[in-house]
Amino acid sequence: MESAFRRGAREGLRDFLPVSVGLLPWAVVTGIAMRSIGLSEIEALGMNLLVYAGTAQLGSLPLIAAGAPLWLIMLTALALNLRFIIFSAAIAPIFHGQPFARRLASSYLLVDGVFAVGAEKLLKADDPQWRWGYYIVPSVFNWCVWQSCTALGIFGAEFVPRDWSLEFMVTIALMVMMLPMVRNRPMLIAALAGGLGAVLLRGLPLRLGVVAGIVIGIAAGFAAERWLLRGEAA
Amino acid sequence: MIDGVWLWVTLVLMSMTTVGTRGSFILLGEKGRLPPALQRTLRYAPAAALSALVVPDLLIDGGEVTLFNPKLLAGLVVIAVALRWRNPWLPFLLGMAVLLLMRKGLGW
């Protein structure tokens, strides 16, 4: 009889496979983008292994290119990664009873795609072996796809002419990521306020305008949510 | 541009924000819970952060805020394409094509 781990793994892969196709352009673009701001192949591969978070990687590239201070890069990466705290809190119960090493590996490997596809099934399942297979196998698969396609971009970047404004691919990538997020009104207001705030405050030293924009955006989103709720209640 | 040892320091610190956020509650186990108000507030952080990076790049060209520049036009094309079609490659192909056409073809 097939073990619970393998059944979980197979079901997880089947659910996750369609999502992983959408990942391919991201990975290739991230690879090209890292090279386009001047990282060497080794540095780009290193960033990919260490950080392993497309949004934070792409978001930090303009700041690294501009020589922004470390703490600002950290804050921006943190802001782009904050959603993982929510995912982590939501998915934590499925690791009940698992050893620390597995929890650590699972933390490093936690990505939007696997969470979005699998969180509901994972939280409903009772068998720890099935859950472990369903979570870890697609996560490792995602890691392999991401690393190999990014490497493709990293080593392919040199065949693209230098003066093609490739750094604009970063902006395109960030935009495409943002669009599905701003489908509701408070989110849209948060994004608009964040973007305009960053433009208006661009004169601040140390590229602080970015952080100021993020704070303004969060506050605006929160305020808009409150205001809309009050409107509905009245 | 940050390079050499400082780049690697930057990368290691960034990796800590990734594992730190992803691992926060997974590593804590059953000991921690996120207050719902904080959870709702945090939802706005990614959209605000992405926009704070994107909008200045689209609106500022050559150090000036301008509504007529090739990047903004290419950006609008990207938004239209991404909303209209599900193909994940198209926004990159068409966005870069518009930008290159205007910069190289029209010398803008």
Side-chain angles (χ1 to χ4, degrees):
Chain A
M1 206 191 96
E2 205 181 11
S3 72
F5 176 85
R6 291 190 59 165
R7 273 187 287 118
R10 209 170 32 173
E11 191 167 341
L13 274 181
R14 200 182 53 215
D15 290 349
F16 181 68
L17 216 54
V19 178
S20 64
V21 178
L23 196 75
L24 302 183
W26 294 111
V28 176
V29 164
T30 305
I32 297 176
M34 286 188 290
R35 298 280 286 125
S36 79
I37 68 147
L39 299 191
S40 70
E41 281 99 345
I42 298 293
E43 288 165 345
L45 289 171
M47 180 182 216
N48 221 35
L49 282 173
L50 286 169
V51 184
Y52 185 51
T55 319
Q57 280 172 249
L58 288 166
S60 67
L61 289 180
L63 301 174
I64 290 176
L70 262 184
W71 62 266
L72 179 56
I73 298 175
M74 288 278 289
L75 266 184
T76 308
L78 189 64
L80 291 169
N81 280 333
L82 277 178
R83 67 187 187 285
F84 289 128
I85 296 183
I86 300 170
F87 296 175
S88 190
I91 210 172
I94 73 158
F95 297 102
H96 179 76
Q98 294 282 12
F100 185 79
R102 282 187 180 185
R103 285 170 188 251
L104 193 61
S106 305
S107 303
Y108 170 73
L109 291 170
L110 177 64
V111 289
D112 306 63
V114 174
F115 177 83
V117 169
E120 215 182 314
K121 268 193 194 176
L122 280 167
L123 290 166
K124 277 189 195 146
D126 297 320
D127 186 338
Q129 283 306 314
W130 186 93
R131 288 195 304 229
W132 177 239
Y134 188 94
Y135 177 80
I136 200 68
V137 173
S139 298
V140 170
F141 173 73
N142 180 77
W143 186 89
C144 295
V145 170
W146 177 262
Q147 297 296 339
S148 53
C149 291
T150 318
L152 205 68
I154 291 172
F155 291 104
E158 54 190 302
F159 299 108
V160 183
R162 281 267 146 207
D163 60 344
W164 269 26
S165 313
L166 275 189
E167 73 290 344
F168 192 66
M169 299 255 272
V170 179
T171 305
I172 298 181
L174 297 176
M175 248 189 306
V176 177
M177 257 184 262
M178 194 170 79
L179 283 176
M181 290 182 191
V182 296
R183 287 278 155 85
N184 71 60
R185 219 176 298 168
M187 258 333 159
L188 184 62
I189 289 169
L192 287 176
L196 293 177
V199 171
L200 293 175
L201 299 172
R202 70 187 178 285
L204 292 182
L206 306 173
R207 294 197 56 144
L208 260 177
V210 175
V211 174
I214 296 171
V215 174
I216 291 171
I218 294 173
F222 191 70
E225 180 188 304
R226 280 293 160 91
W227 193 73
L228 285 171
L229 276 180
R230 199 167 302 166
E232 272 164 28
Chain B
M1 173 77 192
I2 296 170
D3 50 16
V5 176
W6 281 108
L7 178 69
W8 288 101
V9 172
T10 309
L11 297 183
V12 168
L13 288 174
M14 279 181 70
S15 78
M16 288 163 69
T17 73
T18 324
V19 175
T21 50
R22 286 177 178 166
S24 50
F25 287 89
I26 293 179
L27 294 175
L28 269 179
E30 281 69 47
K31 278 165 270 174
R33 271 194 63 234
L34 195 61
L38 184 63
Q39 186 164 342
R40 286 217 315 279
T41 313
L42 287 181
R43 281 188 329 201
Y44 296 107
L50 289 174
S51 184
L53 290 163
V54 165
V55 176
D57 191 46
L58 293 180
L59 291 184
I60 299 171
D61 199 34
E64 301 273 321
V65 176
T66 163
L67 288 179
F68 297 96
N69 78 71
K71 286 189 294 182
L72 182 58
L73 193 65
L76 293 175
V77 169
V78 168
I79 292 174
V81 168
L83 290 178
R84 177 72 184 73
W85 288 289
R86 305 203 72 181
N87 183 320
W89 298 92
L90 268 186
F92 294 102
L93 291 176
L94 292 180
M96 288 309 293
V98 170
L99 184 72
L100 286 175
L101 187 75
M102 282 187 295
R103 281 215 170 132
K104 304 226 144 232
L106 305 175
W108 197 358

